Amino acid sequence: MSKSESAAGALEDAARERQPSVDDGGLTPLRGGGWPAVGAVAAGTFTVVTSEMLPVGLLTPIGRELGVTDGTAGLTVTVTGVVAALAAPVLTLLIGRRDRRTVLAALMAVLGAANLLAAHAPNIVVLLASRVLVGVGMGGVWAIASGLAVRLVPERRVAAATSLIFSGVAAASVLGVPAGALVGELAGWRAAFVVMGGGCAAVLVALVALLPPLPAPGAVRLGGVLGLLRRPPVRTGLVLLALLVAGHFAAYTYVRPVLETVAGARPGQISTVLLVFGVAGLAGNFLAGAGAARSPRSALLVICAVLAGAVLLVPPTGYAAGVFGAAALVAVWGLAYGGVSVSAQTWLMAAAPDAREAASALFVAVFNGAIAAGALAGGLAADGWGTGGVIWLGGALVAGALLTAVLGSGPARRTATAG
């Protein structure tokens, strides 16, 4: 055999070793991976987002028991977002070549401990400290999980697997936040955090059992992460993501007091409206995932337009039609926002197919920084201008995202699995 033939054979063997250990249809794992592993990662995203957003449905009772305003209680979301935004790129750099399965399990353990600490917080300071730990766990899990689909299923299944992973975000709204609000109503807000801690333990076991070993394809370096910012489509995608997420959270963090004010919603009705939001968001995730695989820009243009209209129309509809009218607009809001994560991630993967993990780190940093900025701005608006100010602020930021999507540089028109 010639040297060239030997080299070609070695390259083919190496390529086969890098393929996910799944069967031809990607339905049953052989040595780990496949759809069960994708499901475990989706459970991880569900857990981190539920942990992050749990205070949204509990804002009023938390503030009442700890003696703080709604704006101050909203810092429990803001702090988590700030820490997650910083933790995502920092942890991506620090973990180097460590096995991603091991790292995910360790971060899930941190998340569980943080929720248990929140359940026993005697004051707002300790509660905020627990939310710092949530931010660390969340930032790391998101940065790793958001780009794992390509390593777990065959290439033709990556778009569907990515949608499934991000369905954990929408499912957190469907099940996590409303369930947390319901547990809070029945047993107190502290019980909701205890339940969340147990959920983190269950997901940790699933990750260890179902994920294959995931050695790093290569250590991510600071220069590689920052170098992506020189690419116009990456910059546009990040600005678009920041405006969309900040606009959403400026309004959604305070959706409970908004609904109580403009529609006269009662506590039991709030849980139902949040459930409606989440169901619509789950549908929006899969609809947008399919559309974004064909054209991320088109998907995000539709999302921005629908989201801006829905947010701005909640107050007049609530005043005119009460809880049912407001709930209908919240459903449209959820349908649009449910597609943000998967569409923005698809945009960035298409804009940087050669640097998926670095792009994911930027995605998570901007996403969570925007959560923090939106929640903080919404808190200032709520305390200074009332619920009307929260809605106008959120709508204006989403309108800015729409303008960015129209005028900014988009990725090449290609499928999410390309590259």
Side-chain angles (χ1 to χ4, degrees):
M1 181 181 294
S2 68
K3 291 183 179 180
S4 61
E5 289 173 336
S6 299
L11 288 173
E12 289 174 359
D13 291 341
R16 281 194 294 270
E17 290 174 0
R18 289 195 296 270
Q19 294 301 313
S21 301
V22 296
D23 69 359
D24 188 63
L27 298 176
T28 305
L30 298 178
R31 299 191 301 275
W35 291 106
V38 172
V41 177
T45 61
F46 169 82
T47 303
V48 296
V49 174
T50 300
S51 296
E52 178 193 26
M53 296 309 302
L54 198 57
V56 170
L58 306 169
L59 212 59
T60 302
I62 287 174
R64 184 185 303 122
E65 181 175 336
L66 299 184
V68 296
T69 66
D70 285 342
T72 301
L75 291 175
T76 55
V77 178
T78 304
V79 167
T80 301
V82 169
V83 175
L86 297 173
V90 171
L91 287 175
T92 300
L93 297 173
L94 291 179
I95 61 177
R97 295 180 178 273
R98 290 178 179 84
D99 188 284
R100 277 20 182 182
R101 180 178 64 174
T102 302
V103 175
L104 283 173
L107 291 170
M108 196 58 61
V110 170
L111 201 67
N115 279 296
L116 294 179
L117 177 61
H120 296 88
N123 52 52
I124 190 65
V125 174
V126 175
L127 182 59
L128 290 175
S130 74
R131 301 298 292 172
V132 169
L133 291 178
V134 170
V136 171
M138 178 183 172
V141 170
W142 264 78
I144 297 170
S146 57
L148 278 184
V150 72
R151 302 187 63 187
L152 297 176
V153 297
E155 184 174 338
R156 66 185 180 279
R157 307 285 188 177
V158 169
T162 300
S163 293
L164 182 57
I165 288 173
F166 279 96
S167 72
V169 179
S173 298
V174 176
L175 300 174
V177 176
L182 180 60
V183 172
E185 293 294 330
L186 297 176
W189 64 268
R190 296 179 186 277
F193 284 100
V194 172
V195 172
M196 195 66 249
C200 292
V203 172
L204 190 159
V205 173
L207 290 171
V208 172
L210 297 176
L211 283 180
L214 293 168
V220 177
R221 302 191 182 280
L222 181 61
V225 175
L226 298 180
L228 291 180
L229 297 177
R230 292 195 291 269
R231 304 185 188 185
V234 172
R235 291 199 304 269
T236 299
L238 293 174
V239 171
L240 174 59
L241 176 67
L243 290 171
L244 264 176
V245 175
H248 166 73
F249 278 95
Y252 184 68
T253 302
Y254 302 94
V255 68
R256 179 168 182 160
V258 166
L259 292 173
E260 289 171 343
T261 301
V262 305
R266 299 187 300 275
Q269 294 173 322
I270 297 295
S271 299
T272 302
V273 173
L274 292 176
L275 178 61
V276 169
F277 176 95
V279 170
L282 188 58
N285 172 78
F286 287 103
L287 288 173
R294 294 187 295 271
S295 174
R297 185 197 292 273
S298 297
L300 284 164
L301 282 171
V302 173
I303 286 170
C304 291
V306 174
L307 185 59
V311 170
L312 292 172
L313 287 174
V314 166
T317 304
Y319 283 123
V323 175
F324 292 106
L329 262 296
V330 170
V332 176
W333 181 347
L335 184 68
Y337 185 73
V340 169
S341 297
V342 66
S343 297
Q345 177 74 358
T346 300
W347 176 303
L348 289 173
M349 292 299 97
D354 56 322
R356 287 190 175 95
E357 199 163 270
S360 293
L362 287 174
F363 171 86
V364 177
V366 171
F367 194 103
N368 288 285
I371 289 175
L376 178 60
L380 295 174
D383 289 345
W385 304 332
T387 55
V390 168
I391 293 298
W392 281 109
L393 175 62
L397 289 170
V398 175
L402 177 60
L403 188 62
T404 302
V406 171
L407 300 178
S409 299
R413 192 176 182 84
R414 61 192 295 177
T415 64
T417 60

